[in-house]
Amino acid sequence: MKPLLLAAAALLSSGASADTPGAASRSADIVIYGCTSAGIIAAIEARRLDRSVLLVCRDAYVGGMTTNGLGWSDTGNHRAIGGLSREFYRRVKRHYDDPAAWNIAKRPAKAPNFIDDGAMWQFEPKVAERIYEDWLKDAGVPVIRSRPIDRSTGAVEVKDGKVVSFRARSGERFAGRVFIDATYEGDLMAGAGVRFAVGREANATYGETLNGVQMANSTNHQFTLDIDPYVQPGNPASGLLPRVTADRGEPDGSADHRIQAYMFRMCLTDVPANSVPFAKPAGYDARQYALLKRYIDAGFRNFFQKFDRIPNGKTDTNNFGAFSFDDIGMNYRYPEGSDAERAEIMREHVTYQQGLLWFMANDPGVPAETRAETSRWGLCKDEFTDNGNWPRELYVREARRMVSDFVMAEPHLRGTKPTPRPIGMGSYNMDSHNVRRIVDKRGYARNEGNIEVSPGRAYPISYDAIVPKRGEGSNLLVPVALSASHIAYGSIRMEPVFMILGQSAAAAASLAIADGKAVQDVDYGRLRKQLLSEGQILDIMKAN
């Protein structure tokens, strides 16, 4: 198991390839940077509206997290998912309706994960990727791969508040009438000079209760036993164990620069014929797991809670518990870091996560029954075959977030403040993974930042949250790194919602072109009518 880290390699390469000369220039009505689910759906919508489009990818693959391990969809209320987003999940169901699709493990006698109108919400990564590739081909979308954006000053050309073009690291320029930044990181947005935030706002900023530092509310994925964090137990002078920070807790609700933890969403299997055993990564250091070892010694055993089943004997494996696959506190520099810094952060996450698997399966200090259970699992032989069977994409749960004239915040999600001009809906918990691991006032290890609170309803998402402030980008839409507070983004940031917003962004882009208007001035009445005609859900009470 030796992943090639394709995404990290793309960040460091020029991006040039044989299919296009390095100094070439291309143009289209709508240029989309970022081949996430949002970018793919935006491109398909643009072609449906008879617009020329270019879908420019940082990497060689498409699909973002949907094709890189996040196969157990975080959907919330299925009735809030419409348009092309729902169509994706219908295509998933049609794939698995074919008995031949169940070629590794038998289809369950009572097929799970279906809803009444024929959508399926769990899938294998390779299946999602094939669906996207076929859909893009059928729609006639030109996909330009392995073209990471040049993030140096001036690489995004802006004139009179309007994006003219952006340059890839290969030297190619991409010009358009309207641009869509569909990246998780907001790189095109930032290059265009649009304002953004990183980290957690104070609760007072937007009238919230779950933003900022969250010690009191961080009760899930928390230590359930008192674990000494010092190298010599009871002796602070001996220093802290790895992966515990000396940060002291600021007041709850206060702002900071920190972001929730990243990880790789691993696709694992317990089918021996399709399993690749966990390997010891280069740079493995058992000391990185010393705190976990103490937790185990104290009696913790619940390691396998989030091995969520997807078809063909596979899992979408997520973080669970106080010390798990989330690489807490190791990603702070990622959102604004250089390409080299991001690549190094990705490598560190790989080493940590693969090392944790090796530790759990092989370290003699781990109970024999836990080692045996861990060893029963392996990477999937038929997934990510170009990357050592390891996911190609780091799960960037949150990076930059645009700051527009309207910011989605907790009160909008809860319905205590109105949300103008809806273009889609969300419904998932306001969800932040842990942000850091500190020593509490009693002298024990404690995680901080995890929040899992329902907004209490399916809620509308405003068009004003995907367009920049006036004067900052009159032809730019941002459906992924959109304008939202940290805790509101924690609910919005789900793949089905990104697809919804991608479709709405492309529809708005087409209207802006047709009317010769800034994206901020698109006729919302016309946009709403079009979205409803295409099956988007803008009001849960009126959904079929």
Side-chain angles (χ1 to χ4, degrees), residues 188-469:
L188 176 57
M189 170 191 75
V194 172
R195 268 176 274 191
F196 61 85
V198 175
R200 300 182 287 186
E201 298 93 349
N203 270 332
T205 302
Y206 297 118
E208 298 178 300
T209 65
L210 299 173
N211 210 335
V213 174
Q214 291 289 322
M215 285 296 295
N217 288 323
S218 294
T219 56
N220 291 333
H221 303 294
Q222 187 59 268
F223 288 94
T224 56
L225 302 165
D226 289 339
I227 306 301
D228 191 301
Y230 299 108
V231 174
Q232 296 176 1
N235 181 11
S238 66
L240 292 166
L241 292 174
R243 303 191 177 272
V244 183
T245 176
D247 290 347
R248 290 300 175 186
E250 298 91 345
D252 272 12
S254 60
D256 70 2
H257 67 284
R258 301 177 183 91
I259 56 176
Q260 61 179 305
Y262 297 169
M263 66 172 293
F264 288 91
R265 289 287 281 259
M266 299 173 299
C267 187
L268 304 181
T269 185
D270 57 356
V271 177
N274 195 39
S275 181
V276 177
F278 301 133
K280 187 177 184 179
Y284 173 76
D285 179 2
R287 292 174 297 180
Q288 297 298 314
Y289 313 103
L291 186 69
L292 174 59
K293 175 63 166 55
R294 286 189 185 172
Y295 200 21
I296 292 170
D297 290 346
F300 181 76
R301 294 292 185 275
N302 193 11
F303 303 107
F304 306 102
Q305 187 75 17
K306 286 298 290 177
F307 283 47
D308 292 321
R309 286 288 187 177
I310 60 175
N312 278 314
K314 300 176 184 178
T315 71
D316 168 356
T317 307
N318 199 354
N319 179 83
F320 182 82
F323 197 117
S324 181
F325 297 119
D326 276 357
D327 197 356
I328 298 172
M330 302 302 288
N331 60 344
Y332 300 155
R333 283 294 306 149
Y334 184 92
E336 297 181 82
S338 67
D339 289 342
E341 286 178 294
R342 286 182 178 175
E344 180 54 38
I345 288 168
M346 289 184 69
R347 284 191 289 265
E348 192 280 332
H349 277 67
V350 171
T351 301
Y352 166 74
Q353 211 161 323
Q354 291 185 354
L356 178 54
L357 291 167
W358 176 262
F359 175 83
M360 294 288 291
N362 295 279
D363 193 281
V366 173
E369 66 272 18
T370 301
R371 281 183 277 132
E373 175 62 18
T374 306
S375 298
R376 193 170 67 81
W377 296 90
L379 301 182
C380 296
K381 194 178 296 183
D382 63 339
E383 296 284 357
F384 318 121
T385 56
D386 57 354
N387 200 51
N389 309 113
W390 189 261
R392 300 154 298 187
E393 183 120 358
L394 181 64
Y395 191 6
V396 176
R397 290 187 171 105
E398 177 180 5
R400 299 185 184 98
R401 304 184 309 279
M402 183 168 64
V403 179
S404 188
D405 291 320
F406 177 84
V407 179
M408 291 289 299
E410 182 183 338
H412 302 110
L413 275 58
R414 292 185 184 272
T416 59
K417 285 186 177 180
T419 300
R421 309 205 295 174
I423 55 167
M425 302 196 78
S427 63
Y428 201 75
N429 285 346
M430 291 177 281
D431 180 81
S432 171
H433 283 237
N434 280 306
V435 170
R436 58 183 173 159
R437 183 176 292 126
I438 64 174
V439 181
D440 68 14
K441 293 178 180 178
R442 300 178 305 125
Y444 297 113
R446 184 172 176 83
N447 294 336
E448 185 272 312
N450 189 89
I451 297 292
E452 300 171 48
V453 176
S454 171
R457 63 178 195 141
Y459 56 85
I461 300 169
S462 176
Y463 176 67
D464 301 318
I466 70 167
V467 297
K469 286 178 176 287

Side-chain angles (χ1 to χ4, degrees), residues 89-109:
Y89 296 103
R90 287 174 174 158
R91 290 180 180 228
V92 169
K93 181 182 182 296
R94 288 199 291 271
H95 172 84
Y96 286 110
D97 280 345
D98 182 355
W102 301 85
N103 60 337
I104 297 174
K106 291 183 179 180
R107 181 174 182 158

Side-chain angles (χ1 to χ4, degrees), residues 114-135:
F114 288 80
I115 60 172
D116 291 342
D117 68 347
M120 184 173 176
W121 308 95
Q122 280 72 41
F123 46 84
E124 298 160 271
K126 67 176 186 179
V127 169
E129 190 164 3
R130 176 44 51 201
I131 289 171
Y132 276 152
E133 291 282 10
D134 290 346
W135 205 356

